Amino acid sequence: MGEPRLEELGDYNTLKGEKRRIFWAVIIAGLIIGTVYLAARSYFVPNDMIETQDEIVKVPRVK
């Protein structure tokens, strides 16, 4: 059993059939998940957060 040749592949240069449907399903799912994330973030993250400029310089080691 050898490797498949390019001549044996049905849709080498274009996406057709099931591969095309899977490609578009992944793109649409990504857009939907991104939209849900942005909506949830704008709804649940308060706009009146107080930001601090304190940086943690040294974290104590846990024994």
Side-chain angles (χ1 to χ4, degrees), residues 29-63:
L31 291 173
I32 291 171
I33 290 171
T35 303
V36 169
Y37 171 76
L38 287 176
R41 183 174 178 197
S42 68
Y43 182 75
F44 290 112
V45 174
N47 292 330
D48 60 346
M49 289 191 327
I50 300 173
E51 294 187 24
T52 60
Q53 300 298 328
D54 296 339
E55 295 182 15
I56 299 173
V57 179
K58 185 176 181 182
V59 178
R61 190 163 68 169
V62 178
K63 293 183 179 181

Side-chain angles (χ1 to χ4, degrees), residues 8-28:
E8 296 171 355
L9 297 176
D11 58 351
Y12 176 66
N13 290 326
T14 60
L15 289 176
K16 293 179 183 175
E18 185 179 356
K19 287 184 181 180
R20 185 178 184 143
R21 285 191 297 273
I22 291 173
F23 173 79
W24 283 111
V26 169
I27 297 296
I28 291 171

